[in-house]
Structure formats: C-alpha cells, structure tokens
Amino acid sequence: MSWTLGRFLRGFAIALLWLALGTGAWARGPLPGTVDARDLPPEARQVLAQIRQGGPFRHARDGVTFYNRERLLPVQARGYYTEYTVPTPGARNRGARRIVAGKGDTGNPATSGEYWYTADHYASFRRIQE
C-alpha cells in the first residue's frame, strides 16, 4: 500500500469514527456530556423532581421555551425544549444554573426523561443520566 493511500485510509477511518460518534464536521453541534443525577447539586435534584411532578415552580420563567440558539443541544423544532431555574445559594437573581427539558417521545417534559444541566448559563450542557 502506498504512503498516500495509507494516509487517506487512516483519515477516512477517523472521519467515520467522528461521524458515528456524532461529533464530526457533519454534526450540527457538539453533543453534550453527561452527569449522573446523583451528582447534581441538591438544588438541581429538587428542580428535576419538580419537573417530573409538573410543578410547582419557584420562578415565573420556569417552563418557558428554550430556543437552543447556542445549538449545543440536539437540533429540534421550536418549542421542543423548556428551561427551569436551579437556585444558586447566595445569588440575588436567578443565577446561571438551569435544567433544560426536552419533550422526548412522550411530548411531555415531565415524563420525557430528556434533561440537560448547565451551570454556566447555556455555555455548556451535560445530559442528566438517571
């Protein structure tokens, strides 16, 4: 096998791996990492429980549409995601922490099992694993 062909095949194999993982140039954005629900801050675990129960929520903005403008979550139709405030101890405002819920196969954030956590106001996300 020639040096050029070997180099091509190596590059092709890497490109296929990236495509299979959904993180290559063909993906619309990076896929979020994960976090175990037990490893979330206690305030986030409480908000997650409230989402699953359908409320009540502390902030008037909880449950509003999250537009995914950063495109860090999988691209979905407008209205698919909703956001919820995770209280930050000592903060005088809503703080930077949120849980974003998708509608999933059920069409309902309370039962979808599709949740992401951000501690930096949408700069990064980790998918919550239960």
Side-chain angles (χ1 to χ4, degrees):
M1 179 165 29
S2 72
W3 178 82
T4 307
L5 181 58
R7 189 172 165 191
F8 170 79
L9 290 175
R10 212 173 18 256
F12 186 73
I14 290 170
L16 284 178
L17 180 61
W18 283 3
L19 180 60
L21 294 174
T23 58
W26 301 279
R28 289 191 165 196
L31 295 177
T34 62
V35 61
D36 191 291
R38 296 170 294 192
D39 295 330
L40 290 170
E43 300 86 4
R45 290 192 306 266
Q46 182 179 9
V47 170
L48 189 57
Q50 291 170 333
I51 294 169
R52 290 184 188 131
Q53 295 168 12
F57 302 106
R58 179 176 179 177
H59 295 278
R61 302 260 327 140
D62 289 344
V64 300
T65 297
F66 174 73
Y67 292 101
N68 194 25
R69 290 183 184 106
E70 301 81 4
R71 295 198 181 258
L72 295 176
L73 299 179
V75 176
Q76 297 287 350
R78 179 177 287 196
Y80 182 83
Y81 295 111
T82 52
E83 67 175 272
Y84 303 86
T85 305
V86 175
T88 303
R92 294 181 181 212
N93 57 22
R94 287 176 67 203
R97 303 187 307 177
R98 303 283 188 276
I99 290 178
V100 173
K103 290 185 177 179
D105 294 334
T106 68
N108 183 350
T111 58
S112 72
E114 196 174 311
Y115 309 109
W116 287 269
Y117 176 71
T118 178
D120 53 17
H121 203 259
Y122 319 123
S124 65
F125 288 93
R126 292 184 289 164
R127 177 121 187 215
I128 300 172
Q129 299 295 312
E130 306 186 57

